[in-house]
Amino acid sequence: MDDQDKEAVRLLGALRGFEAPAGGAVDTGRAVRSGRRRVRARRAAAAASTAAAIAAIAVSAALAQRAAGPGPEPRPVASVERFDARRHAFTVGSAGGFAPQSYRPGRDVQRITLRVEHPGGALRADGIVEMYPAGGLPPGSGGRPPAGRRAPDVHGHRAYFLPSPVLRPGAVELAWEWKPGAWGFVSLKGQGVDEERAQRVALSVLPAAGG
């Protein structure tokens, strides 16, 4: 028995005890049909009322949003700077017993290899200098800015002796912020290297003219 039949039975219950007029009889079929029509009419009215309430809420929300004005503009995604891969962005001098051997320019990193300036001495090692644009970091950093024990500033910029090397395992490494958000790294590896040499090499690195 569906809801309409149940409602019709309820309506017929009101007829119990009712005596038909003389010469007449109660048409139960017509009473059932009439009850079903009333149920459908009530359901249609309830549905229309609900739809009207939902429409009113939607209109109110739209008006409130319009009154509040447009939301804040989304922030642009920070972009990583790039070097000009056709030119050397830095100059590197001889310092700490090392001299520049080769220079490899690139858009994401500029890499300078170092050799011992005077072979045959106690210093038997090699070195690397890697310079990154703002927002760039070496893969070994895990995307984290350098941190560690504070080193003397390099040309007025903060510097750190790295507790764990990021360019080469077993190397003595120093990182400094050569401009806001941009880092340079010195990596020395071999016999006779120490933090003082790494500091002196970093001090020999300067932005090239026009860089």
Side-chain angles (χ1 to χ4, degrees), residues 83 115 138 155 181 188:
F83 292 124
R115 59 172 175 81
H155 301 301
L188 305 179

Side-chain angles (χ1 to χ4, degrees), residues 100-206:
Q101 181 176 23
S102 66
Y103 194 120
R104 188 177 69 192
R107 297 175 66 243
D108 300 314
V109 58
Q110 302 237 330
R111 193 172 193 266
I112 303 98
T113 59
L114 308 174
R115 59 172 175 81
V116 173
E117 188 173 18
H118 303 292
L123 181 60
R124 299 183 180 182
D126 60 35
I128 296 173
V129 174
E130 288 191 358
M131 305 299 293
Y132 290 83
L137 288 169
S141 69
R144 296 181 295 273
R149 182 162 49 86
R150 190 67 183 261
D153 288 354
V154 175
H155 301 301
H157 302 289
R158 58 177 174 158
Y160 300 96
F161 295 117
L162 303 183
S164 299
V166 298
L167 300 187
R168 302 186 294 172
V172 174
E173 295 187 352
L174 175 145
W176 77 101
E177 192 175 30
W178 65 273
K179 77 171 189 177
W183 293 87
F185 295 79
V186 170
S187 176
L188 305 179
K189 187 174 182 179
Q191 181 178 326
V193 300
D194 54 26
E195 292 178 344
E196 182 182 355
R197 291 183 186 274
Q199 172 76 15
R200 291 167 64 184
V201 170
L203 287 169
S204 74
V205 181
L206 292 171

